Amino acid sequence: MNQTLSHNQASYQQQLNNKVSQYKKLMADAGIKLPDLDIYESAPYGFRMRAEFRVWHEDGKAHYAMNKPGEKRPYIIQDFPIGSTLINQLMPKIMAVVNANPSLSRKLFSMEYLTTTTNEALITLIYHRPLDEQWQQTANQLQTQFNIKVIGRSRKQKVVLSDDFVTEKMRVNNREYSYQQVEASFTQPNAQVNQKMLTWASDCLSASTGDLVELYCGNGNFTAVLAQYFDKVLATEISKVSVNSATINFAANSIDNVSIARLSSEEFTQALNRQRAFRRLTDIDLDSYNFSTIFVDPPRAGLDAGTEKLVTEMDNILYISCNPSTLAANLVEISKTHEIVATALFDQFPWTEHIESGVYLKRRQS
């Protein structure tokens, strides 16, 4: 067993080293000079707090299954080593109950698990048929038996038996933060590394002054931690579900200096440049803000040209990226006016090619 663990750790370290080398080369090829790169590794296994499984029916039984890209027939799986301890504990128990109850197994084609470090679990069962009272009664028994939350979905139907969210806890610099995480909305999948990301971001901005603007705030994951360092925060997010969660999370963490606007980054840029007025900003006075810092955590496409120009108008820029290629392209322009003072690589997704990174920049002195 010890030999296996040592081998797995060595394999993990090698794949992480490869990511670091790839990241550094990509930045060097783009002409980006990086300061020392802080590396935040993950646990090799048990790190993923959510998972989606196909359900494959064979020999009269339902099985968890996954597909390889380009292959139609799935592979039946018994466990999920990269998943959280709770996911792996629940998987066989839930499937045993499903197979013992035709009302749960019939035309079930997918299962989604959402878990937390505080041992909450929400499981969504997705069907190719309408869900009736018999299903709801059996699903309620399943929910009670394992002290979990259960949701049923089918075409144009969503049945929530108790809640459609779990509550996660994160500890950052000796303060605990509470987060509502809603089913089918985005949450950071690797809780351990997310906590490291929050701590790094907090350390970068701990001496800040003025006001913060944050684009792509999601459920307020970063906002809740960073708000303490600023007089006021204006956060933007396009998803209604995420905006609602962020509002709940700010209240849960006693944060009262954040206003949130349901705008895309492009729309916010237009609003800030007075190119266009938005009714969604009716209650927000943009002129009352003294923005010193901008925080961005964009999708894989990176920053569009307008947002790229907007960030260069701020003294301080904190950029979290899930795509080093688009980050490098953005940094080519941003580095003309700003200097990179801190960089980090966060291994959110071990055993994959995905690289999550952070860059903190300050305006160059004339």
Side-chain angles (χ1 to χ4, degrees):
M1 176 64 79
N2 288 337
Q3 275 188 328
T4 301
L5 289 174
S6 297
H7 173 73
N8 289 342
Q9 184 62 44
S11 298
Y12 168 75
Q13 196 60 51
Q14 183 58 52
Q15 67 93 35
L16 179 56
N17 292 344
N18 291 341
K19 287 184 180 183
V20 172
S21 298
Q22 177 188 343
Y23 182 80
K24 288 181 175 179
K25 182 179 186 305
L26 193 152
M27 292 298 164
D29 289 346
I32 306 299
K33 294 183 179 180
L34 297 177
D36 290 342
L37 182 64
D38 295 327
I39 311 298
Y40 294 91
E41 63 182 38
S42 171
Y45 299 101
F47 57 83
R48 191 172 177 88
M49 308 308 294
R50 52 186 171 91
E52 300 175 12
F53 302 106
R54 182 174 177 179
V55 175
W56 181 253
H57 297 265
E58 188 172 275
D59 299 327
K61 296 184 71 174
H63 306 270
Y64 295 105
M66 287 188 165
N67 287 75
K68 285 187 176 180
E71 295 186 13
K72 288 186 177 180
R73 183 176 176 84
Y75 291 81
I76 291 175
I77 61 172
Q78 304 299 330
D79 54 17
F80 188 56
I82 66 172
S84 68
T85 300
L86 186 54
I87 288 177
N88 282 280
Q89 287 174 346
L90 288 171
M91 282 177 66
K93 297 175 182 178
I94 299 297
M95 190 59 81
V97 174
V98 165
N99 276 311
N101 291 273
S103 62
L104 292 178
S105 63
R106 185 166 65 88
K107 294 192 176 182
L108 174 66
F109 80 92
S110 181
M111 294 176 67
E112 298 177 358
Y113 282 72
L114 175 61
T115 62
T116 70
T117 59
T118 53
N119 281 324
E120 287 190 28
L122 188 159
I123 299 176
T124 304
L125 307 176
I126 306 173
Y127 292 85
H128 280 313
R129 67 175 177 90
L131 303 178
D132 54 20
E133 280 191 29
Q134 179 61 46
W135 177 88
Q136 187 162 333
Q137 182 179 344
T138 312
N140 263 313
Q141 293 169 355
L142 177 72
Q143 181 171 260
T144 301
Q145 181 178 351
F146 296 109
N147 191 28
I148 59 176
K149 300 175 181 181
V150 173
I151 292 175
R153 284 185 177 272
S154 66
R155 184 177 174 82
K156 296 183 179 179
Q157 188 179 18
K158 176 183 176 182
V159 180
V160 180
L161 299 184
S162 55
D163 297 318
D164 65 349
F165 65 89
V166 291
T167 301
E168 181 61 284
K169 305 282 187 181
M170 291 280 115
R171 180 162 289 277
V172 180
N173 291 332
N174 297 317
R175 177 176 171 181
E176 186 175 79
Y177 296 86
S178 174
Y179 295 96
Q180 181 198 78
Q181 298 185 339
V182 178
E183 180 255 2
S185 67
F186 176 78
T187 56
Q188 297 287 349
N190 190 325
Q192 177 197 55
V193 174
N194 182 41
Q195 191 162 272
K196 295 177 180 180
M197 290 172 63
L198 294 173
T199 302
W200 180 82
S202 177
D203 291 344
C204 285
L205 298 184
S206 61
S208 299
T209 58
D211 299 331
L212 170 71
V213 59
E214 178 183 357
L215 309 183
Y216 324 94
C217 79
N219 71 344
N221 180 54
F222 283 94
T223 329
V225 174
L226 301 180
Q228 63 188 303
Y229 304 123
F230 297 90
D231 297 326
K232 294 191 296 183
V233 178
L234 177 58
T236 71
E237 170 58 47
I238 195 64
S239 162
K240 280 185 179 180
V241 173
S242 293
V243 168
N244 291 338
S245 277
T247 302
I248 289 169
N249 291 335
F250 300 149
N253 293 288
S254 301
I255 296 165
D256 59 7
N257 65 334
V258 178
S259 295
I260 186 165
R262 196 170 66 81
L263 296 171
S264 68
S265 62
E266 293 88 350
E267 289 172 332
F268 178 74
T269 300
Q270 292 170 350
L272 201 61
N273 291 334
R274 304 302 191 272
Q275 295 171 338
R276 183 180 167 194
F278 292 88
R279 279 187 291 179
R280 284 165 282 171
L281 284 172
T282 301
D283 297 327
I284 295 175
D285 179 10
L286 291 177
D287 292 327
S288 70
Y289 286 88
N290 177 29
F291 293 125
S292 62
T293 305
I294 188 165
F295 173 68
V296 292
D297 184 4
R300 291 188 59 78
L303 304 178
D304 64 274
T307 308
E308 189 179 78
K309 184 176 184 302
L310 172 67
V311 303
T312 61
E313 295 171 4
M314 306 292 173
D315 289 338
N316 309 301
I317 304 165
L318 188 60
Y319 190 144
I320 297 291
S321 167
C322 60
N323 185 347
S325 296
T326 53
L327 170 64
N330 289 147
L331 288 178
V332 168
E333 291 303 314
I334 297 172
S335 293
K336 293 176 181 177
T337 54
H338 289 68
E339 179 183 6
I340 300 173
V341 295
T343 57
L345 187 148
F346 310 97
D347 198 17
Q348 272 270 10
F349 306 97
W351 314 112
T352 75
E353 295 180 352
H354 294 295
I355 297 174
E356 194 96 1
S357 59
V359 180
Y360 181 42
L361 305 99
K362 287 181 172 290
R363 184 178 300 282
R364 294 183 184 278
Q365 298 300 312
S366 301

